[in-house]
Amino acid sequence: MSHASISRSVCVILGVLGYVLSGLCQPGQPLDSLLSELQAHPQKDDRRAELLNGLAYLLHTSDPQRSIAYATEVIGFANQLKDRKNLANAYTQQAIARIVTSDLDSAKIWGTRSLELQRELGHKEGIAASISNLGLIYYRLNNYQQALAYFQEAAQLFNEVGSPTAVMIYLNMSAIYAEIKNFRKAEEYIFLARKKNGETGDKRIEAYALLNLGTLYTDEGDYEKGRQYLDSALYANQVVNDQANIAKVYGNLGSNYSRMKDYRRSNGYYKQALAINHTLDNARSIAANSTGIGENYIMLDSLSLAYSYLSRGLSLGKSAQAIDVQRDASGNLSRYFEQIGRYDSALYYNRQHALLKDSLYNESSQKELTRLELQYDFDLKEQGYIQQQAIDKLQIKQLWLYGALAIVLVGGVTGYFLNRSRLRGIRMRTEMREQELTLQAETLLFQQQLSESELKAIRAQMNPHFIFNVLNSLECYILENDSRSASKLVQQFAQLTRIILENSTQSMVTAEREWLAVQLYVELEDVRFDHTFDYLFEADPSLDLTKVILPPMLIQPLVENAILHGLRHIPDYRGQLEVRMTQTDGHILITVVDNGIGLATAAKAATAPYKEKSIGIRGINERLDLLRLHHPESCPSLTIDEIHENGKTGTRVCLRLPLVYANFQSMNPDEKVQVKEGI
């Protein structure tokens, strides 16, 4: 498990609407002065609503429960308000305070109400702020695609109305790019936010920016630079008394020292973060901190403490709907159970970790994030072109005022066509660049798919259950003093392992090696199941298996399914497995036939339907999709049918692959392949 993901807290800004929009005061007005004014103004009117909303905003990161109480009071006398913006602002304060406590379902309800009311009022700045807060909620739910779309929409609205609040959105967008590992883009938005904030000098913005930079450099592996920014962020957030961000700084310092393998110091920072998050009742951050502490205890060999913290982290991560925290906790629980020798539990949590990881970074969401990024950059440039065009028109008007009519006409016509040509050229270059980036992204995704499918194939062949069962069989032979059988089993297992590992380094291998690997696997499974079935391997004599090449690790999962889900459950007759390799119409046809219990019965007996859901079948289909890209003229396919013969059921699987020869050599029909039969 990588330390990179544990308790990583990129900072996103809460409640960009703030109390500035309520018309209350300037940022930085002391809390005591607001409390005094509130006490002196008991009337339930718009002024009291402004004061309550201001207090709710000031307290949302340090005392979210009080913030909720102040906003609730405003909602209680909503019928007496003349300015409904105050009610919309109260809805916003409800949303951001609940984000701090990780009550994301309630936060989404209040955020949606705020957006609906702001749209009804036609308040553009309020609409942008509400959209930004919804983006923050989806960010916390690890839905980065939806979050980025909301942040981009909010940034465009803030820029349209000329609001300085746009600087806050840039920090939120930097957090999204950091999550998807686009560190340069994240750094670009942070520096843009700091540059624009230099005009107003908002200490809260600077504190957020320092925290994000510290987290960013830690993720990139520059731990010293990361700690320098995190130390600066700690001081800056203490100045503005942002307790939520102080906890994030401590959590990120814990992650930083954990990566440096200073686990005891790391736990010290994590526990400081944990204490603050308990006061804030922030379930998500408590889960992340607990997971980080649990991982450190694994490294310190304090396994009982590790299990306590990791279990807590997983439980709270589920309640807070934090997929990334659940992923990290599951991965570390897998390591914990592996160390104590409970391999079944270790395998379970390892699978949970893989599923959660895939749900965060699936192919479609990555493509959508890339598209949103390109579209947003294009829109920004387009806005720049429009602004420049407006400036050009103003200059032409000035020439019309101070110059001759003829010069104005000539200049106007010339400028128009030059500007039109320039815009056309810029758009063409932008489109070409977008196409180039899209092609690069598709190439990277294809390489990633190929690597992942090969890894899945290796796992399908060398899964833990198979290895453990072979070792158990070996142990039985040893205990029975059957040294000959034990030695043969060791040789077969070693030969199979070597072939699988060697084949996994190649995208294409000879059919001879793949054929041998499948035979060795079946022989080992035959020993495992105490010779309860017969098997037959038959290859077309016209095929030269030493020259024909095919993708490795495609046949074994089909044979495994036939044995484990078909032959294994035969009630009252002897099983028969037949594996054949033939050639037809420029293709190789591999057929696996068993007389097992059949598809329908196997689906009922299994905890999950293996034909559609198993990793092996899914991995084969993925690799066939990739194979079609290399051989578009062929039609690689996989078909599975249930057969009924002589009153018995069975299954026939047909794998169709293109016939390819190594180094483009022709087939030698005189060479024969040895066929091995086991009874």
Side-chain angles (χ1 to χ4, degrees):
M1 172 64 59
S2 169
H3 292 275
S5 58
I6 294 300
S7 191
R8 180 182 178 280
S9 299
V10 177
C11 182
V12 286
I13 296 184
L14 297 170
V16 296
L17 179 62
Y19 62 92
V20 178
L21 299 181
S22 69
L24 174 63
C25 57
Q26 294 298 320
Q29 180 173 352
L31 178 66
D32 291 340
S33 67
L34 290 179
L35 289 171
S36 299
E37 191 173 353
L38 180 68
Q39 188 174 5
H41 193 92
Q43 298 90 343
K44 294 181 178 180
D45 56 12
D46 288 284
R47 183 54 184 165
R48 183 171 180 83
E50 291 172 356
L51 293 167
L52 289 167
N53 283 332
L55 287 166
Y57 179 78
L58 289 178
L59 293 170
H60 75 270
T61 59
S62 58
D63 194 347
Q65 295 304 328
R66 282 180 66 190
S67 178
I68 291 172
Y70 285 134
T72 301
E73 183 177 345
V74 175
I75 297 169
F77 60 86
N79 292 333
Q80 302 176 47
L81 297 175
K82 296 180 180 179
D83 188 352
R84 299 187 70 200
K85 289 181 184 177
N86 289 318
L87 178 59
N89 202 1
Y91 289 159
T92 296
Q93 306 310 325
Q94 289 275 9
I96 63 177
R98 283 174 165 79
I99 293 172
V100 172
T101 62
S102 298
D103 186 1
L104 300 180
D105 289 333
S106 296
K108 190 185 297 184
I109 292 172
W110 288 110
T112 302
R113 288 183 183 178
S114 174
L115 178 59
E116 291 173 351
L117 184 52
Q118 295 287 6
R119 282 177 171 161
E120 181 181 336
L121 297 172
H123 185 208
K124 263 195 174 182
E125 194 168 9
I127 293 171
S130 299
I131 290 172
S132 175
N133 288 328
L134 286 173
L136 175 57
I137 293 169
Y138 281 99
Y139 170 84
R140 291 290 177 84
L141 291 169
N142 302 117
N143 189 341
Y144 304 130
Q145 172 185 332
Q146 186 62 57
L148 181 59
Y150 275 124
F151 288 152
Q152 290 175 345
E153 184 180 357
Q156 289 181 349
L157 286 172
F158 280 129
N159 285 325
E160 286 178 16
V161 299
S163 170
T165 313
V167 67
M168 301 180 180
I169 302 299
Y170 294 142
L171 286 177
N172 289 353
M173 292 172 68
S174 77
I176 295 291
Y177 289 120
E179 290 290 352
I180 63 176
K181 308 302 181 185
N182 190 341
F183 297 122
R184 296 285 67 80
K185 196 74 174 178
E187 187 179 52
E188 175 184 337
Y189 274 104
I190 294 173
F191 284 125
L192 177 61
R194 295 186 77 189
K195 179 181 177 181
K196 290 185 176 296
N197 187 53
E199 301 169 8
T200 58
D202 191 327
K203 292 181 179 180
R204 288 178 62 86
I205 298 297
E206 181 64 9
Y208 277 85
L210 291 171
L211 172 53
N212 277 11
L213 284 171
T215 306
L216 194 66
Y217 291 126
T218 296
D219 273 357
E220 287 189 284
D222 192 346
Y223 304 129
E224 182 64 28
K225 193 172 183 180
R227 283 197 299 275
Q228 291 175 2
Y229 275 102
L230 288 173
D231 288 338
S232 299
L234 181 60
Y235 174 78
N237 281 285
Q238 287 172 339
V239 169
V240 298
N241 191 31
D242 192 330
Q243 293 297 311
N245 277 356
I246 292 171
K248 287 185 175 70
V249 174
Y250 283 137
N252 281 292
L253 283 169
S255 177
N256 188 294
Y257 280 105
S258 181
R259 296 165 188 240
M260 295 291 292
K261 301 184 179 180
D262 189 347
Y263 304 116
R264 297 189 185 279
R265 182 176 295 183
S266 171
N267 269 355
Y269 281 112
Y270 275 138
K271 289 179 180 178
Q272 289 185 75
L274 198 60
I276 296 174
N277 285 318
H278 273 297
T279 64
L280 298 175
D281 198 23
N282 188 336
R284 189 191 199 294
S285 295
I286 293 171
N289 298 151
S290 299
T291 302
I293 294 171
E295 182 181 21
N296 285 339
Y297 276 131
I298 289 178
M299 305 308 296
L300 293 169
D301 206 28
S302 298
L303 298 183
S304 60
L305 288 172
Y307 178 74
S308 175
Y309 278 100
L310 291 173
S311 298
R312 185 184 184 195
L314 180 59
S315 176
L316 289 174
K318 290 179 179 178
S319 65
Q321 304 177 59
I323 299 175
D324 53 343
V325 178
Q326 296 177 55
R327 173 201 62 197
D328 298 332
S330 297
N332 282 296
L333 282 169
S334 176
R335 294 173 59 195
Y336 162 79
F337 284 111
E338 183 179 6
Q339 289 195 25
I340 66 173
R342 289 181 55 184
Y343 298 107
D344 54 342
S345 296
L347 178 61
Y348 169 79
Y349 282 107
N350 182 266
R351 288 174 175 171
Q352 293 301 308
H353 169 79
L355 290 172
L356 291 165
K357 182 179 179 181
D358 288 343
S359 71
L360 279 175
Y361 302 107
N362 60 65
E363 176 186 345
S364 61
S365 64
Q366 289 294 319
K367 281 186 176 180
E368 182 61 14
L369 284 169
T370 302
R371 187 195 66 77
L372 286 171
E373 178 182 342
L374 292 171
Q375 184 62 47
Y376 182 70
D377 289 343
F378 179 79
D379 290 343
L380 287 179
K381 292 176 182 177
E382 195 76 336
Q383 289 178 6
Y385 303 150
I386 294 172
Q387 292 174 0
Q388 185 61 46
Q389 190 175 17
I391 293 172
D392 291 342
K393 289 181 179 179
L394 287 174
Q395 291 175 345
I396 292 173
K397 288 181 180 180
Q398 289 178 348
L399 290 174
W400 180 80
L401 291 172
Y402 299 104
L405 180 59
I407 296 175
V408 171
L409 291 173
V410 173
V413 173
T414 303
Y416 171 79
F417 284 105
L418 287 176
N419 189 54
R420 183 176 179 181
S421 176
R422 180 173 61 86
L423 285 174
R424 185 185 295 110
I426 291 173
R427 286 196 182 96
M428 185 177 297
R429 289 194 295 272
T430 302
E431 290 174 358
M432 291 177 64
R433 178 58 178 166
E434 184 176 356
Q435 291 175 358
E436 181 183 352
L437 291 174
T438 302
L439 181 60
Q440 291 176 358
E442 290 177 351
T443 301
L444 290 174
L445 286 171
F446 175 78
Q447 293 173 350
Q448 180 183 0
Q449 283 180 324
L450 183 59
S451 299
E452 289 177 352
S453 66
E454 289 173 355
L455 287 174
K456 289 177 182 177
I458 295 173
R459 289 198 296 267
Q461 283 192 307
M462 298 301 290
N463 64 75
H465 288 297
F466 173 68
I467 295 173
F468 293 159
N469 286 323
V470 171
L471 294 177
N472 285 336
S473 299
L474 179 61
E475 182 182 20
C476 291
Y477 285 137
I478 293 173
L479 293 175
E480 294 172 3
N481 293 322
D482 190 350
S483 60
R484 182 183 300 275
S485 297
S487 174
K488 181 179 178 182
L489 185 63
V490 169
Q491 291 174 4
Q492 290 175 323
F493 183 70
Q495 187 178 9
L496 175 60
T497 304
R498 179 174 181 178
I499 291 175
I500 290 173
L501 293 177
E502 289 177 351
N503 285 359
S504 69
T505 63
Q506 305 294 325
S507 61
M508 300 288 280
V509 298
T510 64
E512 181 183 43
R513 292 184 61 82
E514 186 69 5
W515 196 243
L516 178 59
V518 176
Q519 292 184 60
L520 287 170
Y521 171 82
V522 172
E523 290 175 5
L524 290 172
E525 289 286 45
D526 186 40
V527 172
R528 169 188 171 187
F529 291 109
D530 199 23
H531 308 288
T532 57
F533 65 89
D534 300 330
Y535 55 91
L536 172 67
F537 285 86
E538 186 177 274
D540 190 338
S542 64
L543 275 173
D544 187 349
L545 300 187
T546 63
K547 295 180 180 179
V548 174
I549 59 175
L550 48 84
M553 297 171 285
L554 288 181
I555 307 174
Q556 182 272 338
L558 305 178
V559 175
E560 179 182 355
N561 278 342
I563 295 173
L564 298 184
H565 300 286
L567 300 175
R568 179 182 177 186
H569 302 289
I570 291 176
D572 54 3
Y573 58 90
R574 188 166 183 80
Q576 178 68 43
L577 173 68
E578 297 178 2
V579 184
R580 291 183 171 85
M581 182 184 294
T582 59
Q583 64 170 324
T584 174
D585 298 330
H587 291 82
I588 296 178
L589 185 64
I590 296 132
T591 307
V592 180
V593 181
D594 67 78
N595 64 342
I597 60 176
L599 291 171
T601 306
K604 294 178 181 178
T607 57
Y610 81 97
K611 294 296 180 183
E612 291 81 14
K613 301 290 186 180
S614 73
I615 293 176
I617 296 298
R618 187 168 64 249
I620 291 173
N621 284 322
E622 290 175 356
R623 300 188 72 195
L624 290 179
D625 290 339
L626 297 176
L627 194 60
R628 293 186 190 100
L629 297 178
H630 283 291
H631 301 277
E633 74 286 351
S634 66
C635 299
S637 63
L638 175 68
T639 59
I640 305 173
D641 300 301
E642 185 171 280
I643 57 177
H644 300 274
E645 294 179 357
N646 300 323
K648 296 181 180 179
T649 60
T651 304
R652 178 187 291 109
V653 182
C654 296
L655 177 63
R656 179 186 174 93
L657 300 172
L659 183 59
V660 182
Y661 292 94
N663 298 325
F664 304 102
Q665 296 179 2
S666 61
M667 178 182 65
N668 184 356
D670 295 329
E671 292 185 13
K672 305 296 182 181
V673 62
Q674 186 175 7
V675 180
K676 184 170 184 178
E677 179 179 356
I679 300 298

